[in-house]
């Protein structure tokens, strides 16, 4: 079982979740805003059961994948935020293209 927790930022100009820029630039831009608002949501413990696996399992999926997708979907529905297929590898490639040098996982 897991307890899903998510963070929502609502700032006028700069979203603190933009994580592809270098930390020192991120920090300066973040502090240059007059205010930064954050909401932390803690959801109830999400415990898998056989009904979840029976009704949501697709061919070739393992139980952990069904469980992860269900938690992700629940968090997206409650937060009203879209899901993203971006991986850490995608973010590193984006950062490399933006700043012209090789990056590794932080």
């Amino acid at each position: 079982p897991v307890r899903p927790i998510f963070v929502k930022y609502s700032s006028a100009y700069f979203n603190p979740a933009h994580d592809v820029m270098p930390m020192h630039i991120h920090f300066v831009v973040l502090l240059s805003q007059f205010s930064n608002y954050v909401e932390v949501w803690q959801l109830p413990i999400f415990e898998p059961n056989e009904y979840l696996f029976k009704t949501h399992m697709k061919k070739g999926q393992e139980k952990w994948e069904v469980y992860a997708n269900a938690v992700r979907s629940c968090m997206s529905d409650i937060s009203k935020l879209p899901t993203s297929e971006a991986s850490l590898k995608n973010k590193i490639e984006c950062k490399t293209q933006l700043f012209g040098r090789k990056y590794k996982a932080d």
Side-chain angles (χ1 to χ4, degrees):
V2 296
R3 178 181 300 276
I5 296 174
F6 61 88
V7 178
K8 285 179 74 173
Y9 298 102
S10 55
S11 302
Y13 303 104
F14 176 71
N15 183 337
H18 293 303
D19 56 357
V20 295
M21 63 179 59
M23 184 56 88
H24 65 284
I25 294 173
H26 185 102
F27 188 68
V28 170
V29 174
L30 186 63
L31 291 178
S32 67
Q33 290 190 133
F34 181 69
S35 61
N36 294 285
Y37 300 99
V38 63
E39 290 178 63
V40 179
W41 289 60
Q42 181 175 317
L43 304 179
I45 292 175
F46 196 107
E47 196 161 345
N49 57 39
E50 287 308 311
Y51 176 79
L52 171 73
F53 299 130
K54 268 194 243 180
T55 58
H56 294 284
M57 189 172 281
K58 294 176 184 146
K59 188 174 182 176
Q61 275 190 320
E62 294 185 36
K63 285 186 173 183
W64 71 265
E65 292 173 296
V66 175
Y67 182 46
N69 287 335
V71 171
R72 180 181 190 215
S73 178
C74 178
M75 292 173 70
S76 176
D77 291 347
I78 292 171
S79 68
K80 296 181 179 48
L81 295 170
T83 59
S84 172
E85 298 302 322
S87 66
L88 178 59
K89 182 180 177 184
N90 296 135
K91 289 182 179 187
I92 291 170
E93 288 171 0
C94 178
K95 198 172 183 179
T96 299
Q97 288 181 357
L98 282 173
F99 300 106
R101 63 180 196 180
K102 289 274 184 186
Y103 288 89
K104 59 182 180 178
D106 294 331

